[in-house]
Amino acid sequence: MVGVFEVGAVPFNPDGWGPPESTTATPLSTTTTLPLHVPFATFSRSERLGRIADFTRNFPSSNANASNRPSSGKPGSADSPFDFSLDLDAFPLANDDGSAFRLVDAKPPPRPKFGPKWRFNQHRPQLPQRRDEEVEARKREAEKERARRDRLYNLNRSNQNQQRREAAIFKSSVDIQPEWNMLEQIPFSTFSKVSFSVADPDDLLLCGALEYYDRSFDRITPKNERRLERFKNRNFFKVTTTDDPVIRRLANEDKATVFATDTILATLMCAPRSVYSWDIVVQRVGNKLFFDKRDGSQLDLLSVHETSQEPLPEAKDDINSAYSLSVEAAYINQNFSQQVLVGDGNKVTFDEPNPFANEGDEVASVAYRYRRWKLDNDMYLVARCEVQSVVEINNKNSFVTLNALNEFDPKYSGVDWRQKLETQRGAVLATELKNNANKLAKWTAQAILASADLMKLGYVTRVHPRDHFNHVILGVVGYKPRDFASQINLNTSNMWGIVKSIVDLCMKLNEGKYVLVKDPAKPQVRIYEVPADAFENDYVEEPLPEEEQVQPPTEDAEGVEANGNTNDNKEIEAQA
C-alpha cells in the first residue's frame, strides 16, 4: 500500500505575511493538519535572510567544547525558541549507522591564484578568510614607522662616521699663518680637463748602485710566508730638491728651468686622488723654479687607508691612527726593499756613487736617475727619480721599483689577506685600490717617471693585529708600470697636464717663496705667498760657495749627518 502525503489546509491571511493571528475565522480551522505548538518567528521584508545550511563551517568534535560554548540565541541553541527534539523512534532511518554516509562535492578544487603563497596555506582547514582592513592598515603604519626609524638610525650612523672621518683629516699639513697671502685657489675639477704630452726624457746622470732582485720572493704564498727582517745599519735618504748637490750643479749649468723630485712630481700628478692634506714649497729664483718639501714633511711618509670610507682612530698614539700607520708603512717599505734582494754583494754601479752618502757608509740599494723633460720651447724640467733594484731579463738588466702594501687589521679592509690572497688576489688588489688609490697611483707615477721596467708590489701584514713591530711577507706580485696605470685608470697625459698647468701658473709669480697646500676639507689646492724665512726655524745656516748663493735653504745640520740618515728616517726608526 502506497502512503499518501497530505499537506493540510493553509489558512489565508489577508492582512499580511504569515499565518493569521487567529484561525477561528476560517472554516478549515477545525480540520487543520498543521502540527500544534510549533513556534513561529515573525520577520519583515527589510530583515536579511540567513543561510539554510552552511557546509563550510567547522564545529569542534568534542562534546565538552560544544557544551562549554555560550548560547547564541539562534536556532539550534539552548535558549532558542526553535529548540525542539525529535522522537527518533518515529524516524527509523535516524537509528541507522551514518558512518557510511559521505557528502560528495563534485566541484573541482580551487586553482591557485596567488602563486606559491597559496600552496603554503593549503594545510589550513579553512579557506582564506577576508582580512580585516583596519588591522592591515595598522600593520602598514607600523612597518612605515619601523622603516623610518631604521633610516634615521642609519643616517645618524653615517653622519657620525663622516664626522669622525672629517675630524681625522681636517688638520692641515702646515699651519697657515695670518701673514700669508693667498694668491690662487684651484679646484681639482679643473685638473681632470687638462692634458699634455711630453717626449721621452733624456738621462743626464745616473748615481748610486743597485743589487739584483731575488726571484724566489715571487713564489711566496700565505702558506709559506717569510718574516720581514730589519735593516738598521743601512742608510736611507729623503733629500729635498734644493739640498741635492747634483740638482744644484745642474741648475748652475742651466740644464733646465724647473727642478723637482719624483716624489713631489707624483704628488702633483695624483693630486685629484688625494684626501689628506699635503704641502709643497715653491721657490722662484731668477728664471728658475724649485719644488721643495719641508723638513719633516708628510711626503716622506706613506698614507694608509687614505681613500677608505672606514674611519681610523683619531688618537695619534693609537697604533692604528693615520700618523702611526704612515710611519709603520714607511718602515715596512724600507725593510721590504732591502730584503727582497739577492744580497750576494754583486751590484750594478753607475756614473757616480750615491751623492748623499759618505765613504764607508752602508747604503741601501738605490739608484738616482736625473732626467730631463721638455715642457716648452725654452722650458725644461729636471727631476731626480729612484729605482730600488735591477733584474736580468733576456740577458739585459731591467730597472725595478719595490713597494709594499701593508695590512694592519682585517676588520678595517674587510678582506683577510691570509685567507684571500692566494685564491682571490684580484679581490685583494681591488680592495687596496679602493682604500689606497692615491698611494698606488703615486707609486705607479714614480715608476713611469723613472722608466722602470717592472714594479714589484709586496703584501706585508702584521703577525698579530695588535703587534705593529713584527710583520710577515705574504706575497710579491710584479706589474709593468704602464699596464698597471691603465688598470687603475691613470692617464699619463693628464698627469703631465696637471704638472704643466701648475708650472705655468708658478712661472707667472714674482721672485719669492710660495707654498702649495692641499685643502684638508675640500678637493682643491691653494697657493700662498710666504716670507722668505718661512720654514727655516729648524735650519742651521751654513756658508755656501759663492756660485751657489742663489740657492734657497741649505742643509739642516741634523738633516743629513755623516751617517747619511735624515731626520724623517730617524723618526721612522725610533717609532719602529
Side-chain angles (χ1 to χ4, degrees), residues 22-323:
S22 175
T23 59
T24 57
T26 60
L28 299 176
S29 59
T30 57
T31 61
T32 180
T33 60
L34 287 177
L36 299 177
H37 309 294
V38 177
F40 173 75
T42 59
F43 64 95
S44 62
R45 295 183 183 182
S46 61
E47 293 181 358
R48 298 179 59 184
L49 297 179
R51 298 178 181 178
I52 298 177
D54 189 356
F55 293 97
T56 63
R57 297 184 60 185
N58 295 312
F59 296 97
S61 59
S62 174
N63 294 332
N65 293 339
S67 61
N68 293 334
R69 289 201 310 268
S71 175
S72 60
K74 294 183 180 180
S77 61
D79 56 352
S80 172
F82 294 93
D83 187 22
F84 58 91
S85 60
L86 297 177
D87 186 4
L88 297 181
D89 295 336
F91 301 93
L93 293 178
N95 293 327
D96 294 348
D97 186 9
S99 59
F101 178 76
R102 294 291 183 271
L103 179 65
V104 179
D105 188 2
K107 293 190 301 182
R111 298 181 61 184
K113 298 181 180 180
F114 307 105
K117 186 176 180 181
W118 179 272
R119 296 196 300 269
F120 298 150
N121 294 334
Q122 291 299 310
H123 66 279
R124 297 182 181 179
Q126 69 274 10
L127 295 176
Q129 301 294 324
R130 179 184 174 184
R131 295 182 177 180
D132 190 349
E133 296 182 358
E134 184 178 355
V135 175
E136 291 298 320
R138 286 199 297 266
K139 289 183 179 179
R140 287 194 296 269
E141 291 297 328
E143 289 293 335
K144 291 180 180 179
E145 181 66 20
R146 188 180 301 108
R148 186 183 67 85
R149 289 198 303 268
D150 291 342
R151 285 196 303 269
L152 291 177
Y153 174 73
N154 295 329
L155 183 61
N156 291 335
R157 281 195 63 188
S158 61
N159 288 340
Q160 290 174 2
N161 291 340
Q162 188 68 19
Q163 291 172 4
R164 290 181 60 193
R165 183 68 177 164
E166 292 179 357
I169 65 174
F170 192 72
K171 185 178 179 181
S172 177
S173 62
V174 61
D175 295 332
I176 308 298
Q177 303 299 326
E179 63 269 15
W180 293 4
N181 182 24
M182 189 183 73
L183 303 179
E184 198 75 27
Q185 186 168 286
I186 309 172
F188 284 164
S189 58
T190 60
F191 288 156
S192 61
K193 306 173 185 177
V194 296
S195 179
F196 184 74
S197 299
V198 295
D200 293 336
D202 300 326
D203 279 330
L204 302 180
L205 189 65
L206 275 79
C207 303
L210 293 176
E211 299 181 29
Y212 283 93
Y213 173 74
D214 188 355
R215 294 178 181 268
S216 65
F217 281 86
D218 293 337
R219 297 187 292 271
I220 291 181
T221 62
K223 295 181 181 179
N224 60 342
E225 60 189 28
R226 291 196 191 181
R227 193 69 172 248
L228 182 67
E229 301 175 5
R230 301 183 183 182
F231 296 84
K232 295 183 177 180
N233 297 327
R234 292 199 175 186
N235 298 322
F236 302 86
F237 307 97
K238 301 292 182 182
V239 182
T240 186
T241 307
T242 52
D243 289 344
D244 189 336
V246 177
I247 288 183
R248 290 184 177 183
R249 188 175 68 199
L250 296 176
N252 291 331
E253 296 174 359
D254 290 332
K255 294 293 185 179
T257 53
V258 183
F259 299 88
T261 64
D262 59 346
T263 303
I264 295 175
L265 287 182
T267 303
L268 294 176
M269 290 176 171
C270 305
R273 301 175 183 239
S274 62
V275 176
Y276 293 154
S277 178
W278 47 264
D279 60 275
I280 295 174
V281 178
V282 182
Q283 303 189 64
R284 177 76 188 277
V285 182
N287 64 338
K288 293 181 175 57
L289 198 63
F290 296 87
F291 289 93
D292 271 314
K293 67 177 183 64
R294 294 183 298 106
D295 184 37
S297 172
Q298 288 292 112
L299 298 183
D300 291 333
L301 303 179
L302 297 173
S303 63
V304 179
H305 267 228
E306 180 178 359
T307 56
S308 172
Q309 296 301 320
E310 185 70 21
L312 297 175
E314 300 177 14
K316 189 175 182 180
D317 297 335
D318 194 300
I319 64 172
N320 291 335
S321 66
Y323 177 77

Side-chain angles (χ1 to χ4, degrees), residues 510-524:
N510 299 325
E511 288 193 37
K513 182 181 289 188
Y514 306 88
V515 62
L516 191 68
V517 182
K518 157 69 171 66
D519 192 296
K522 299 179 181 179
Q524 63 184 13

